[in-house]
């Protein structure tokens, strides 16, 4: 069988690329080594984590309804039921991708794909049998996996990556989360809400590296109020598994006396690394960069003509929507159109309570680039809808160019921040200004009015403060 395009990997990068290419008239196949489509995101990432985050948030909220004048009995946790909700959510999403492949006449091949030569992909099935498929173009969309922590062996039972943390059969009494990034804080939130005592150990002296520093600092305080403990500027050097409880050795990142902390579960969430194993990249001579990511040009083509790469396996933020947009762009390029991704307007969301959402530049980045900027801030405590919902934690921060007023960044900590951020994303796509945002009518009463007020604050003055 000969194709116009073979995509290796069916995560959000790969499956979206395949669908877009098929919509544009290309004959497409996808090779996936997992039994189900959807990649990390749908099977063991975005989707199952959000199912557990939502369910655990409801569980916690039910216990705090008194303040709204609702009396309910103390909620009881049915953990198997909650995990079943997560599994059902995953199933409906991965089945959805299989349906979309069928609908778009995309051939799915379950097996490990390797590139024998440009235009030749070998698919090896679990039983060892293999077949060679021919194609005009190949897109590598093999994603990433969890980065290991030297000296700490993962067993996915007591010492887990995010994958094991999505299916703990019992709420741990105490959990150590290694790494204060998005995944660690999200999964730490799930288990804290369900009753675990959570200690986060982070090598750097701050949480959420890469995000706006003020946002991270205020958000850390909110998490501490919820019961999170943080050990920043600290590293885990080993975990003793010999006893009934785990004993993690920690020491200051800059060096100093070591101490031991105990836990039932250690979650290692120190980042993810690109996954290129078994692809045969050495055989065809596809170059990697210094961080072992596949190197591509502005059109997502590797140094080998006809071989492209997208998503977590190339440079850039490891986010599902970044992978999806690259999938669309490369499909358009292969169909002779002008595919493009605007890396200045990719939102990032932390789905905790409250949520954190961000797009564009942080204050630290603007300072480092020497760009003169204005800051507009508005707290949810001054927003009528937030007061009505008892959701006054957090604020909106708008960063605009001091000379042109162009919106350069938006950062939100607050309930529903992940949905609210998109008006800033769209505005940035259209190179809009803080004044544009401030003059756009926002329905009252909504949380989003705080974005308008923060934009007003950046451009001139807020009304409600
Ligand atoms: C716990 C967790 C939560 C997350 N939450 C979010 C979130 O809320 N929002 C967000 O934007 N991002 C989130 N992410 C990140 C997101 O999952 C990734 O950015 C995204 O999945 C990357 O998509 P991708 O298509 O590049 O690769 P992947 O989704 O990793 O898919 C790659 C696929 O390729 C397959 N594969 C690999 N090698 C081969 C081969 N040789 N042959 C055949 N198949 C192969 C793999 O089996 C896999 O299915 C989360 C990640 C984790 C772990």
């Amino acid at each position: 069988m000969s194709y116009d395009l073979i995509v290796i990997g069916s995560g959000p990068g790969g499956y979206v690329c395949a669908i877009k290419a098929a919509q544009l008239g290309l004959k497409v196949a996808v090779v996936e080594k997992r039994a189900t489509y959807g990649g990390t995101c749908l099977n063991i990432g975005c989707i199952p984590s959000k199912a557990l985050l939502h369910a655990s948030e409801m569980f916690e909220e039910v216990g705090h309804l008194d303040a709204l004048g609702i009396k309910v009995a103390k909620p009881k946790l049915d953990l198997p039921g909650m995990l079943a909700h997560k599994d059902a959510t995953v199933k409906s999403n991965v089945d959805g991708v299989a349906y979309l492949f069928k609908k778009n006449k995309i051939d799915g091949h379950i097996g490990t794909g390797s590139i024998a030569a440009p235009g030749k992909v070998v698919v090896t099935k679990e039983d060892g049998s293999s077949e060679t498929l021919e194609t005009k173009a190949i897109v590598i969309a093999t994603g990433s996996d969890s980065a290991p922590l030297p000296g700490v062996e993962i067993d996915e039972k007591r010492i887990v990556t995010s994958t094991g943390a999505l299916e703990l059969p019992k709420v741990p009494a105490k959990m150590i989360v290694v790494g204060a990034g998005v995944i660690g804080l999200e999964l730490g939130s799930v288990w804290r809400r369900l009753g675990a005592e959570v200690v986060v150990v982070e090598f750097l002296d701050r949480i959420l590296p890469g995000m706006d520093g003020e946002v991270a600092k205020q958000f850390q305080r909110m998490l501490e109020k919820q019961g999170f403990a943080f050990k920043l500027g600290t590293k885990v050097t080993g975990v003793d598994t010999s006893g009934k409880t785990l004993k993690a050795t920690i020491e200051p990142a800059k060096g100093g006396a070591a101490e031991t902390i105990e836990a039932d579960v250690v979650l290692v969430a120190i980042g993810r690394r690109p996954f290129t194993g078994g692809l045969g990249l050495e055989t065809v001579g596809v170059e990697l960069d210094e961080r072992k990511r596949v190197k591509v040009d502005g059109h997502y083509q590797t140094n080998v003509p006809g071989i492209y790469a997208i998503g977590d396996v190339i440079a850039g933020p490891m986010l599902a929507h970044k992978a999806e947009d690259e999938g669309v762009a490369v499909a358009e390029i292969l169909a002779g159109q002008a595919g493009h991704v605007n890396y200045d307007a990719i939102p990032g969301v932390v789905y905790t309570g409250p949520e954190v959402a961000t797009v564009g530049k942080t204050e630290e980045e603007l300072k480092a680039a020497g760009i003169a900027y204005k800051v507009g801030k508005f707290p949810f405590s001054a927003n009528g809808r937030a007061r009505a919902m008892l959701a006054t934690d957090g604020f909106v921060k708008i960063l605009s160019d001091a000379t042109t007023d162009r919106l350069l960044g938006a950062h939100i900590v607050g309930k529903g921040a992940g949905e609210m951020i998109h008006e800033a994303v769209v505005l940035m796509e259209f190179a809009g200004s803080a004044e544009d945002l401030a003059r756009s009518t926002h329905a009252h009463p909504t949380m989003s009015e705080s974005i308008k007020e923060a934009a007003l604050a950046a451009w001139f003055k807020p009304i409600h403060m």
Side-chain angles (χ1 to χ4, degrees):
M1 185 73 179
S2 182
Y3 295 97
D4 295 317
L5 168 64
I6 294 178
V7 184
I8 307 179
S10 71
Y15 87 74
V16 169
C17 175
I19 292 171
K20 186 72 186 183
Q23 287 173 343
L24 292 172
L26 272 57
K27 178 75 196 133
V28 184
V30 173
V31 182
E32 170 56 57
K33 66 176 184 185
R34 203 179 246 116
T36 51
Y37 301 122
T40 303
C41 178
L42 271 57
N43 288 281
I44 50 165
C46 326
I47 294 299
S49 61
K50 266 78 253 180
L52 290 185
L53 277 157
H54 177 72
S56 60
E57 187 175 1
M58 293 295 102
F59 178 72
E60 187 167 57
E61 277 193 4
V62 171
H64 293 102
L65 290 176
D66 277 26
L68 296 173
I70 304 167
K71 298 270 180 225
V72 286
K74 194 170 179 292
K76 269 206 233 130
L77 176 63
D78 166 18
L79 186 57
M82 203 177 271
L83 296 175
H85 157 67
K86 175 211 59 169
D87 292 340
T89 310
V90 167
K91 182 164 180 355
S92 68
N93 279 275
V94 300
D95 286 353
V97 175
Y99 161 78
L100 290 173
F101 280 179
K102 225 181 230 163
K103 184 178 168 208
N104 287 285
K105 302 192 173 33
I106 295 164
D107 289 348
H109 297 265
I110 296 294
T112 300
S114 62
I115 306 172
K120 275 195 192 351
V121 174
V122 178
V123 184
T124 308
K125 303 207 173 78
E126 241 189 342
D127 63 9
S129 65
S130 67
E131 70 175 309
T132 302
L133 307 173
E134 310 253 329
T135 178
K136 289 187 191 135
I138 297 169
V139 170
I140 300 167
T142 49
S144 61
D145 64 3
S146 307
L149 180 62
V152 177
E153 204 172 313
I154 303 288
D155 62 16
E156 294 295 11
K157 291 201 160 51
R158 295 203 296 167
I159 305 183
V160 297
T161 65
S162 54
T163 305
L166 289 168
E167 45 193 29
L168 297 178
K170 194 171 142 222
V171 179
K174 189 163 174 188
M175 182 175 205
I176 297 173
V177 176
V178 191
V182 180
I183 293 176
L185 297 183
E186 287 186 356
L187 292 173
S189 287
V190 166
W191 294 105
R192 185 204 56 74
R193 290 164 180 166
L194 301 182
E197 186 190 332
V198 176
V199 182
V200 181
V201 182
E202 165 60 51
F203 185 85
L204 299 175
D205 59 1
R206 55 162 294 172
I207 68 166
L208 294 179
M211 288 209 180
D212 188 272
E214 182 184 20
V215 165
K217 207 175 248 172
Q218 296 221 22
F219 180 55
Q220 183 184 334
R221 269 189 228 130
M222 292 173 203
L223 292 178
E224 279 165 347
K225 263 208 258 167
Q226 294 170 10
F228 268 91
F230 289 95
K231 286 187 179 290
L232 303 182
T234 305
K235 62 183 174 187
V236 172
T237 54
V239 180
D240 177 357
T241 57
S242 60
K244 206 163 162 260
T245 55
L246 302 169
K247 292 187 181 63
T249 309
I250 59 169
E251 59 182 60
K254 292 186 186 125
E259 59 173 305
T260 303
I261 48 175
E262 294 194 23
D264 306 288
V265 170
V266 173
L267 162 60
V268 177
I270 56 166
R272 297 183 60 78
R273 57 182 183 180
F275 187 80
T276 53
L279 266 177
L281 297 188
E282 323 71 39
T283 326
V284 277
V286 168
E287 280 176 15
L288 305 182
D289 69 11
E290 70 295 344
R291 289 168 65 183
K292 306 259 182 270
R293 300 172 295 199
V294 177
K295 235 167 134 173
V296 291
D297 64 15
H299 290 102
Y300 305 101
Q301 189 161 219
T302 66
N303 60 307
V304 179
I307 304 180
Y308 300 76
I310 55 168
D312 278 12
V313 82
I314 68 167
M318 286 183 165
L319 292 169
H321 41 284
K322 175 260 194 190
E324 286 184 41
D325 287 355
E326 288 175 345
V328 168
V330 80
E332 288 174 334
I333 290 166
L334 290 171
Q337 300 183 354
H340 171 75
V341 176
N342 176 5
Y343 290 97
D344 287 332
I346 295 183
V349 178
V350 192
Y351 296 85
T352 40
E355 291 181 349
V356 182
T358 164
V359 63
K361 301 280 185 251
T362 63
E363 269 204 81
E364 291 79 7
E365 285 170 336
L366 292 173
K367 274 189 196 132
I371 296 169
Y373 63 93
K374 292 210 276 185
V375 185
K377 280 189 258 182
F378 195 82
F380 285 110
S381 56
N383 174 289
R385 182 73 184 280
R387 286 181 189 152
M389 299 196 306
L390 298 181
T392 52
D393 270 354
F395 64 106
V396 180
K397 177 172 176 176
I398 293 286
L399 301 170
S400 59
D401 189 292
T403 325
T404 64
D405 194 40
R406 184 174 173 164
L407 196 71
L408 299 175
H411 308 275
I412 310 173
V413 186
K415 192 177 180 66
E419 299 292 339
M420 281 188 276
I421 195 69
H422 294 100
E423 62 171 301
V425 175
V426 173
L427 189 79
M428 288 177 73
E429 268 304 323
F430 287 87
S433 65
E435 182 183 354
D436 289 328
L437 198 46
R439 286 192 186 276
S440 303
T441 305
H442 285 63
H444 176 74
T446 54
M447 297 286 281
S448 302
E449 284 174 288
S450 297
I451 300 181
K452 176 185 169 115
E453 290 278 356
L456 266 168
W459 166 58
F460 180 56
K461 284 178 185 172
I463 299 287
H464 290 91
M465 217 176 48

